[in-house]
Amino acid sequence: MSAADTIFALASGAGRAAVALLRLSGPGAGAALTALAGPLPPPRQASLRRLRDAAGEALDQALVLWFPAPGSYTGEASAEFHLHGGPAVVAAVSEALVAAGARPAEPGEFTRRAFLNGKLDLTEAEGIADLIEAETEAQRRQALRQAGGALSAQVAAWSARLARLLARQEAFIEFEDEDLPAGLNDAVAAEAAALATEMAAQLAAAPRGERLRDGLMVAIIGAPNAGKSSLLNALVGREAAIVSARAGTTRDVVEVRLVLAGVPVTLADTAGLRDAADEIEAEGVKRARRRAEEADVVLAVFAADQPADAETLAAMPTGALVVANKADLAAPGIAGALAVSALTGAGLAELRAALTARAAALAGLTEQATLTRPRHRAAVGEARDWLLGLASAPMPELRAEALRAALRALGRLTGQVGVEAILDLVFSEFCIGK
Amino acid sequence: MMDMTFDVVVVGGGHAGTEAAAAAARCGAKTLLLTHKLETLGEMSCNPAIGGVGKGHLVREIDALDGLMGRAADAAGIHFKLLNRSKGPAVRGPRAQADRGLYRRAVQALLRAQPGLFLVADSAEDLLLDTTGRCIGVVSGNGRRIGAGAVVITTGTFLRGVIHLGEDRTPAGRVGEAPSVGLALALARLGLPMARLKTGTPPRLDGRTIDWAALEAQPGDDPPEPLSWLTQRITNPQVACAITETNEATHAVIRANLHRSAVYGGRIEGVGPRYCPSIEDKVVRFADKGRHQIFLEPEGLPGGEDGDTIYPNGISTSLPAEVQAALIATMPGLSRAVILRPGYAIEYDHVDPRALRPTLELRAAPGLFLAGQINGTTGYEEAGAQGLMAGLNAAALAGGGAANRVLSRAEAYTGVMIDDLVLQGVSEPYRMLTARSEHRLALRADNAGLRLTEQGMAWACVGPERAAAHGAFAKAVAEALAWAREAGATPAQFAAAGIAINQDGRRRSVLEALALPSAADPAPLEALFPRLREMPMAVRTQVEAEALYAPYLQRQAAEMRALEREERLAIPQELDFSAIPGLSTEMRQRLAKAQPATLGSAGRIAGITPAALAALAVHLRRREARFT
């Protein structure tokens, strides 16, 4: 996988379509484009060309675009072919490109090259990866924000303020006998505390951003034959789980994906909670309990015609969504439970609304969440911790050390702030020197 | 045929040259020092002071390797001050103002006492290169061919030096010294990358014409803290400095004459230092500041040859002489002050230090070393530290070994400076600042000997007197630290001694107790642990620094280990950066220019993006996997 190779890939979806877009990137892009479409067209202008293979056979009439390095997405010489969208045309042009020395790209290789060429920073590259993976509209908006540099911009803004603070602290250390402004030190501590607070706020919003990226996990737990699988099927509107009147039918976890409030949600139907004699069922029960612990939302299902079972009551966390199923058979006796009948569909709309509200609250359709990966949270968390510790540092060089460490932590996200940049700030802000 | 042969020839007798020659001779190399005038060996051509924050650290490092600067400054010092005394030990910087004549004589005495070192008043007019381009000697001013195993050039600002005084310009090195033409041509023939810098100096005032009574006096520290580890006591009488300041009248004079300044009149192309701006610069760039402090520093003891010369620190200028007189007269205490010599700006060429190896040997001419201002630095201390390292490497090379004497960034400010120079080059005269070190808490002026003297002994550049003093001190520090980690007390015992502490039942060591905020008052702790009081101050400083910094250093240990790993990932000298996939043209050029030796050093090059580093790291690891 060398970047000396010239790579191509279908940028539009596979299958029949009006137009198919083939992208080509690498040092041989110009030569390959010439081989198929004749002399290079003017940069970044659409030109209509007849594409031919090496034997001179016409392949398609296509729009071609030429992007000389470094003014392209990857930073390399690149070209685009807007082909007529049939699979045969795409296959023929692909073959001709291979004959011209290019090879099909590996997954993510275009973005990787853009990153290596400094076209994207790591957080923007992550954003683009997320954008391609996005299943829902809300995910797409969040990924787009990151790909557009929202995280970079936020980290860059914090870094710039940290750099200014560090410059002041460094001036105070290096130039003792210059008449620096009074109160320089106190201002540093106050601004550091303000920055720590902002970072803490972003960190508090971060789990929502991460949940939106990864999706929510909802575990359905309850006693055997409380109707968990029926409820799951009713919620997704199809027969995803096997339903039978026999208790203990579901022995492993059954997962179904759906979208609520723009958030991808995984519904997990679990084995009924009871003391199972059967070894396989016992394992299923164990897994059900683990699911309940890991889930973002627990849906605790009771049968309205039965007394609430101790196993489910014990396994259900506070804040669980409590459902009394089989409400068609008896009036639910559990306080605060949502009366539902998977059989008749009564109460399903309310249950769906309750789940949607939970999803929206947890994954928050906030425009604020920029820290969408554990890596981001770790770095910002570390920076915040150093800044919080700064207040108790007894010496200016220790405060400077905390600021440096915080800057380095942020630097891991989008790149370092060098000493020269700090010194520039020192000398532009203060009249120093004798 | 050579007329004479030495192991090492050093050209230039400033602070870099004298340290280089002395260091080479200490290593046992037969060394020749060539300088225009023997009387000006060790001349302080600008500010009569040695040390400061960062610079004081360098002096202590030179001293730890048995160099001259600290000892000479102690012999000549007339005003000592430990800067940043109220801050932590890592950023305290010892500084001494010296009597210029005494300083010269101290340096000259140390050089004369150095066995194996020959001092000759002559110039170097040409370099001798063999057919492979290796430097094998110099041609002196009287035409003698002098062979050498290695040559060190420390000729300061002599390359295309131009002095600007108002509208006048004079080609020169320092005032009254002729620039050397032949050597400049010889260096030009090597095709080295050059750049232009400028620096300035203030006018010198006649102390007898200053109204001292009207000014705030600034006494030095009592007792003074010596710069050298070997100095027991400062014996010179000590003098006070004084402070005056500019005012609106001063600034009005400057603004009215800006067009006549060499800098603002557009006659200077070189870049000046940001940390040492001319008074013109200060008034223009910080227009809202109504006053600038000026320190009046005597250049010598009263009654001595320089006793009446005052260095007004803070008013470097290239305005015409009569304007200088007018602006000086506006300041408190200076209304009748007479200017002995006007200030001026000097422009000069320097060699882009990225042409050097970390040993300060030129990549283009093996056997030829450069040190000091010629490499784009400023300051006696920066020059001295480079001279010392160049001298050590020249001696090693001349002795038939490899020139491989390099201090890392983690070991010394000297290492930080040389790494910065050879990797980043300079965009202004380079001055040492503690901000430049990422290991600031560990690289202290107070522990330079503990950091470096052992290494110096291994390099055979440390004499027996210092070796003995170092051994005794290192042992005392090790014992004191062991005790401070071991000895301790319970919270109840601390409370009984009047020390505020969490009553959590956890026993704390002396080291932990020293880090408590309540340790600011040492008396109760000393009462509880009398050994603290009995400790020599230098030893106790080490214990206190450990107590203060260890928690931070531990917290950063993982990060530092990662840095070290990167530092160990070597970039082979023959590596072709243009063959690394994914590097932009700009990144390739930056890397090719700096020729970093390790991945860590590549990461420090200004402007190298994380993406470029990632590409380089991937390439190196793949390469490593292929070759092992």
Side-chain angles (χ1 to χ4, degrees), chain A residues 325-350:
Chain A
N325 193 19
K326 310 189 184 177
D328 48 311
L329 297 182
I334 302 155
L338 206 62
V340 170
S341 170
L343 188 67
T344 66
L348 266 181
E350 288 81 359

Short mmCIF file of all heavy atoms in Angstrom, two decimals, chain A residues 325-350:
data_model
loop_
_atom_site.label_atom_id
_atom_site.label_comp_id
_atom_site.label_asym_id
_atom_site.label_seq_id
_atom_site.Cartn_x
_atom_site.Cartn_y
_atom_site.Cartn_z
N ASN A 325 -46.71 -5.38 30.34
CA ASN A 325 -47.20 -5.96 29.09
C ASN A 325 -48.46 -6.79 29.37
O ASN A 325 -48.80 -7.05 30.53
CB ASN A 325 -46.08 -6.81 28.47
CG ASN A 325 -46.40 -7.19 27.04
OD1 ASN A 325 -47.24 -6.56 26.38
ND2 ASN A 325 -45.73 -8.22 26.55
N LYS A 326 -49.07 -7.21 28.32
CA LYS A 326 -50.30 -8.01 28.43
C LYS A 326 -51.39 -7.25 29.18
O LYS A 326 -52.12 -7.81 29.97
CB LYS A 326 -50.01 -9.36 29.11
CG LYS A 326 -48.82 -10.12 28.50
CD LYS A 326 -48.70 -11.53 29.04
CE LYS A 326 -47.44 -12.19 28.48
NZ LYS A 326 -47.21 -13.53 29.00
N ALA A 327 -51.39 -5.92 28.94
CA ALA A 327 -52.40 -5.08 29.61
C ALA A 327 -53.80 -5.45 29.14
O ALA A 327 -54.79 -5.05 29.74
CB ALA A 327 -52.11 -3.60 29.36
N ASP A 328 -53.89 -6.21 28.04
CA ASP A 328 -55.20 -6.66 27.56
C ASP A 328 -55.78 -7.74 28.49
O ASP A 328 -56.96 -7.97 28.52
CB ASP A 328 -55.09 -7.19 26.13
CG ASP A 328 -53.93 -8.15 25.95
OD1 ASP A 328 -52.79 -7.79 26.39
OD2 ASP A 328 -54.12 -9.23 25.41
N LEU A 329 -54.90 -8.39 29.29
CA LEU A 329 -55.34 -9.48 30.16
C LEU A 329 -55.75 -9.00 31.54
O LEU A 329 -56.65 -9.52 32.15
CB LEU A 329 -54.22 -10.53 30.31
CG LEU A 329 -53.80 -11.24 29.03
CD1 LEU A 329 -52.72 -12.28 29.33
CD2 LEU A 329 -54.99 -11.91 28.36
N ALA A 330 -55.06 -8.00 32.08
CA ALA A 330 -55.36 -7.55 33.45
C ALA A 330 -54.92 -6.11 33.61
O ALA A 330 -54.08 -5.62 32.84
CB ALA A 330 -54.61 -8.43 34.46
N ALA A 331 -55.45 -5.41 34.58
CA ALA A 331 -55.02 -4.04 34.86
C ALA A 331 -53.65 -4.13 35.54
O ALA A 331 -53.47 -4.91 36.45
CB ALA A 331 -56.01 -3.35 35.77
N PRO A 332 -52.68 -3.36 35.06
CA PRO A 332 -51.32 -3.45 35.62
C PRO A 332 -51.30 -3.04 37.09
O PRO A 332 -51.89 -2.03 37.46
CB PRO A 332 -50.49 -2.51 34.77
CG PRO A 332 -51.47 -1.70 33.97
CD PRO A 332 -52.78 -2.41 33.96
N GLY A 333 -50.59 -3.81 37.90
CA GLY A 333 -50.54 -3.51 39.33
C GLY A 333 -49.24 -2.84 39.73
O GLY A 333 -49.00 -2.65 40.92
N ILE A 334 -48.40 -2.49 38.79
CA ILE A 334 -47.11 -1.92 39.15
C ILE A 334 -47.17 -0.40 38.97
O ILE A 334 -47.49 0.09 37.88
CB ILE A 334 -45.98 -2.49 38.27
CG1 ILE A 334 -45.96 -4.02 38.44
CG2 ILE A 334 -44.63 -1.91 38.64
CD1 ILE A 334 -45.37 -4.74 37.27
N ALA A 335 -46.87 0.30 40.04
CA ALA A 335 -46.97 1.76 40.02
C ALA A 335 -45.97 2.33 39.01
O ALA A 335 -44.83 1.90 38.94
CB ALA A 335 -46.70 2.32 41.41
N GLY A 336 -46.42 3.31 38.22
CA GLY A 336 -45.52 4.01 37.29
C GLY A 336 -45.24 3.23 36.02
O GLY A 336 -44.49 3.70 35.17
N ALA A 337 -45.80 2.04 35.90
CA ALA A 337 -45.52 1.25 34.71
C ALA A 337 -46.39 1.72 33.55
O ALA A 337 -47.50 2.21 33.75
CB ALA A 337 -45.78 -0.23 34.99
N LEU A 338 -45.82 1.58 32.36
CA LEU A 338 -46.52 1.95 31.15
C LEU A 338 -47.34 0.73 30.72
O LEU A 338 -46.77 -0.34 30.50
CB LEU A 338 -45.49 2.30 30.08
CG LEU A 338 -45.88 3.26 28.98
CD1 LEU A 338 -46.24 4.62 29.55
CD2 LEU A 338 -44.71 3.38 28.02
N ALA A 339 -48.64 0.89 30.61
CA ALA A 339 -49.48 -0.25 30.23
C ALA A 339 -49.43 -0.44 28.72
O ALA A 339 -49.70 0.48 27.96
CB ALA A 339 -50.91 -0.03 30.69
N VAL A 340 -49.05 -1.64 28.31
CA VAL A 340 -48.86 -1.92 26.89
C VAL A 340 -49.42 -3.30 26.57
O VAL A 340 -49.37 -4.19 27.42
CB VAL A 340 -47.35 -1.90 26.55
CG1 VAL A 340 -47.09 -2.43 25.14
CG2 VAL A 340 -46.78 -0.49 26.68
N SER A 341 -49.92 -3.44 25.36
CA SER A 341 -50.23 -4.79 24.90
C SER A 341 -49.55 -5.02 23.57
O SER A 341 -49.90 -4.38 22.57
CB SER A 341 -51.75 -4.98 24.75
OG SER A 341 -51.98 -6.20 24.08
N ALA A 342 -48.57 -5.90 23.60
CA ALA A 342 -47.88 -6.20 22.36
C ALA A 342 -48.85 -6.87 21.39
O ALA A 342 -48.69 -6.78 20.18
CB ALA A 342 -46.69 -7.12 22.64
N LEU A 343 -49.84 -7.53 21.96
CA LEU A 343 -50.80 -8.26 21.14
C LEU A 343 -51.73 -7.30 20.39
O LEU A 343 -51.86 -7.38 19.17
CB LEU A 343 -51.60 -9.20 22.04
CG LEU A 343 -52.53 -10.18 21.34
CD1 LEU A 343 -51.71 -11.21 20.55
CD2 LEU A 343 -53.43 -10.88 22.34
N THR A 344 -52.36 -6.36 21.14
CA THR A 344 -53.33 -5.46 20.52
C THR A 344 -52.70 -4.18 20.01
O THR A 344 -53.29 -3.44 19.24
CB THR A 344 -54.43 -5.06 21.53
OG1 THR A 344 -53.79 -4.27 22.56
CG2 THR A 344 -55.08 -6.27 22.16
N GLY A 345 -51.49 -3.87 20.46
CA GLY A 345 -50.84 -2.63 20.04
C GLY A 345 -51.20 -1.46 20.94
O GLY A 345 -50.70 -0.35 20.74
N ALA A 346 -52.03 -1.71 21.94
CA ALA A 346 -52.38 -0.62 22.86
C ALA A 346 -51.14 -0.16 23.62
O ALA A 346 -50.34 -0.98 24.06
CB ALA A 346 -53.44 -1.09 23.85
N GLY A 347 -50.98 1.15 23.76
CA GLY A 347 -49.87 1.69 24.54
C GLY A 347 -48.52 1.69 23.81
O GLY A 347 -47.54 2.23 24.30
N LEU A 348 -48.46 1.07 22.62
CA LEU A 348 -47.17 1.00 21.90
C LEU A 348 -46.66 2.39 21.51
O LEU A 348 -45.48 2.68 21.60
CB LEU A 348 -47.31 0.14 20.64
CG LEU A 348 -46.94 -1.34 20.79
CD1 LEU A 348 -47.12 -2.05 19.45
CD2 LEU A 348 -45.51 -1.48 21.28
N ALA A 349 -47.61 3.24 21.07
CA ALA A 349 -47.21 4.58 20.64
C ALA A 349 -46.60 5.34 21.81
O ALA A 349 -45.57 6.03 21.66
CB ALA A 349 -48.43 5.34 20.10
N GLU A 350 -47.21 5.16 23.00
CA GLU A 350 -46.67 5.84 24.19
C GLU A 350 -45.28 5.30 24.52
O GLU A 350 -44.38 6.04 24.88
CB GLU A 350 -47.61 5.65 25.39
CG GLU A 350 -48.91 6.42 25.31
CD GLU A 350 -49.96 5.74 24.44
OE1 GLU A 350 -49.67 4.65 23.86
OE2 GLU A 350 -51.07 6.29 24.31
#
